[in-house]
Amino acid sequence: MSNIAERNRQLLHFIVLPTLLLTVVLLGGLRVDAHTKQFLFLPPPLVTLLSAALLAVLFLRAGALELHRWLAIEQPLLVNAAHLLTLLALFFASAQAFNSVLPEQGLLHGMFSFLFLWTLWTNQFAAFDARRLLRSLMVLFGTAFVLKHLLISGLDSPKGSWLGRLTATVLQGVSITGPGFAPATGYISFVALAIYVMALMLVMPPPVEVSSSSEALLLGDSVARTDSLNPRPEDNQN
Amino acid sequence: MACCFIIQVGMNKRVIQITGLVWTIIYALGIIWIYATQPRSLKEVATNTQLAAGVYEVNQEKFNNGLGLFRRDQFRAAREEWAAADPAQHDPRTQFYVAYSFYREGWGRTYDDDQLFKEGLTAVNRAIEHAPGGSLTVDDPDLQMHTATELKVELEEGTERSWSDLNPMKLFRQRK
C-alpha cells in the first residue's frame, strides 16, 4: 500500500504538477479573435513577469514554497533539475495567469496592472500563511476574471450594453479596452485559472503539520490533503 | 527479498523522475514553439507540426486543379486551390506558380497592377527562401520564365517607375 502511495506521490509531483503548470502557461496567453475566430497566442507582458516575481517572493515569505525542500545540496541532481523546472513552470504559470485576466491594452490595462502590482506589493508586508495566501489569490484572480471577462467584455459587445454606452460617453476619446475577443476566450481563461489554483494546491505545503493522511482527510481541506505531495528530502533520496 | 523490494522502489522512483523531467522539457519546448510560430487554428498547428517533423507534403490533387485553372487564365481560383494545397506556403514550386499567377493577372499592355505585382514579389521571395540553395527552376513548357530569379526581376521591374514606362513601343510587348 505504501509503495502505491509512494508511486502516486511521485507521479503527481514529477509529472502531473509540471503538466498542470505548463498547461496554464499554454492557455494563459491564448485568445480567440472575435471576427476571424483565429487563435492568438499573446506572450506575457513585462508587467505580468514583474507581478509573477512579486508573487514568487510572496510564496516564499508566506512559507507556501519552502525552497530548501525543492532545491537542496543533499538531493540528487536529477531531482534538483526536475524541481528547478517545476519552479520555473510555476513562475511562468503565474505570469500567464495574470496575463489571462489582464486587459490587453487601453486604459484598463494600465489600471489592472497598477492594481495587481499595488496588491502584491502591499501583501509583501502583511502576515500570511500558505492557506490564507491561496484564498487571497483565488479572490484576486476571481475578481479580475469577473471584471475582464464578464463586465468589460460587455463594452466590446457589438450591440453595446448600457454600461458600454455609459463608459464610452464618460471616457470620450480614451481607449479603454483592447481588441475584441470571442466568448471562447473567457472559457479558456476560466480553465487556465482553475488549473492554476489546482496546481497551487499541489505546490503549497499545509499551514500546520498533519501527522497522518487520515487526519488530513478528516480536516477536509484540500490544502492539508496535499501534504504528501510536497517534496521531502527523504523522499528524493535514491 | 527486502533488498530487492527497496531496489525496485528506487528504480521506479528514478524512472518516474526521468520521465517527468523529459516530459516537462518536451512540453515546455512545445509551448515555446507554439508561441514562436503563432498558429491561428488547430489545422495550422497540425501543419506546423508536419513542417517541424519534416513530413510536410503538398496536396498534389489540389495543386493540379490549380494548375488547370491557371492555364485557363482563372488566376484567383487557381490561387485558392494552391492555398489549400500548400497551407504553410512552404513549397517552392507552388509559391512560384502563385507568384506567376499574380504576374499574369497583373500584367497589362499599358500598365501593370502594382498591388498584384507586389503580392507576386512576396510569393516569389517565399519560393526562393524555401528552395534548396535558394535556386528554383520549373520545367513547364507553358511558361516563358522558368526560374524564380527571372520572375522576381520581371515583377520588380513592373513595380518600378522609370522613363521607359513612357516608351510607346511598350504597347507591343508580350506577356510572358
Side-chain angles (χ1 to χ4, degrees), chain A residues 165-187:
Chain A
R165 288 197 297 273
L166 180 69
T167 316
T169 308
V170 172
L171 296 168
Q172 271 184 358
V174 179
S175 170
I176 50 167
T177 61
F181 294 117
T185 305
Y187 289 94

Side-chain angles (χ1 to χ4, degrees), chain B residues 57-163:
Chain B
E57 278 182 2
V58 171
N59 184 326
Q60 200 56 46
E61 193 188 335
K62 284 186 184 295
F63 176 81
N64 291 338
N65 289 344
L67 204 55
L69 290 164
F70 174 74
R71 284 178 180 152
R72 293 197 296 276
D73 282 2
Q74 295 179 17
F75 302 115
R76 290 185 188 193
R79 285 199 294 271
E80 289 284 319
E81 288 290 329
W82 286 328
D86 181 22
Q89 301 185 326
H90 204 265
D91 180 54
R93 190 161 150 261
T94 311
Q95 292 312 307
F96 175 83
Y97 275 105
V98 169
Y100 217 118
S101 74
F102 277 119
Y103 164 73
R104 283 196 170 172
E105 190 182 355
W107 185 88
R109 197 165 294 282
T110 50
Y111 68 93
D112 299 321
D113 186 319
D114 278 357
Q115 187 57 40
L116 289 171
F117 267 45
K118 277 176 188 165
E119 288 188 58
L121 206 51
T122 310
V124 81
N125 282 334
R126 274 198 302 268
I128 291 169
E129 185 189 340
H130 299 307
S135 164
L136 176 70
T137 305
V138 176
D139 293 323
D140 185 339
D142 185 49
L143 308 177
Q144 290 178 44
M145 292 183 282
H146 296 282
T147 66
T149 316
E150 275 179 280
L151 179 57
K152 184 178 177 178
V153 169
E154 192 72 20
L155 287 164
E156 279 175 344
E157 283 176 358
T159 53
E160 286 166 2
R161 296 271 177 276
S162 67
W163 286 108

Side-chain angles (χ1 to χ4, degrees), chain A:
Chain A
M1 187 65 184
S2 64
N3 189 21
I4 293 170
E6 179 62 29
R7 193 187 60 202
N8 287 345
R9 186 188 302 138
Q10 293 274 321
L11 281 171
L12 276 168
H13 187 68
F14 287 99
I15 296 176
V16 176
L17 179 58
T19 304
L20 290 176
L21 290 170
L22 288 174
T23 304
V24 178
V25 177
L26 177 66
L27 296 180
L30 176 58
R31 312 281 188 273
V32 180
D33 189 275
H35 304 293
T36 60
K37 306 291 178 203
Q38 288 180 337
F39 291 162
L40 294 168
F41 289 92
L42 305 181
L46 197 57
V47 69
T48 64
L49 294 177
L50 191 59
S51 302
L54 282 172
L55 187 57
V57 175
L58 206 56
F59 282 147
L60 294 173
R61 281 200 64 249
L65 262 183
E66 294 177 10
L67 208 55
H68 64 277
R69 283 189 180 184
W70 288 83
L71 301 171
I73 199 83
E74 298 83 16
Q75 289 178 166
L77 183 64
L78 182 67
V79 175
N80 275 333
H83 283 172
L84 184 64
L85 284 180
T86 306
L87 290 177
L88 278 173
L90 175 64
F91 173 77
F92 284 105
S94 302
Q96 286 292 66
F98 283 115
N99 187 10
S100 175
V101 291
L102 190 68
E104 284 66 28
Q105 59 190 48
L107 179 66
L108 288 170
H109 173 81
M111 282 172 66
F112 270 58
S113 302
F114 174 76
L115 287 173
F116 277 142
L117 290 174
W118 179 256
T119 307
L120 291 167
W121 178 249
T122 50
N123 281 350
Q124 303 290 328
F125 307 101
F128 264 117
D129 60 33
R131 193 190 309 211
R132 284 181 61 190
L133 177 60
L134 184 62
R135 284 179 187 162
S136 164
L137 286 177
M138 283 167 73
V139 171
L140 180 71
F141 283 115
T143 309
F145 175 83
V146 169
L147 282 172
K148 182 187 172 185
H149 292 289
L150 296 180
L151 293 179
I152 296 168
S153 63
L155 300 179
D156 291 325
S157 168
K159 289 175 186 170
S161 63
W162 65 268
L163 182 64
R165 288 197 297 273
L166 180 69
T167 316
T169 308
V170 172
L171 296 168
Q172 271 184 358
V174 179
S175 170
I176 50 167
T177 61
F181 294 117
T185 305
Y187 289 94
I188 293 167
S189 175
F190 182 81
V191 170
L193 290 179
I195 295 172
Y196 181 65
V197 170
M198 207 185 302
L200 286 185
M201 285 175 176
L202 293 179
V203 169
M204 289 186 178
V208 289
E209 282 299 318
V210 181
S211 58
S212 68
S213 57
S214 57
E215 192 179 341
L217 287 171
L218 283 171
L219 277 171
D221 190 313
S222 55
V223 176
R225 257 180 265 143
T226 59
D227 175 36
S228 56
L229 300 176
N230 294 291
R232 297 177 302 188
E234 63 271 24
D235 289 342
N236 298 323
Q237 304 298 324
N238 288 315

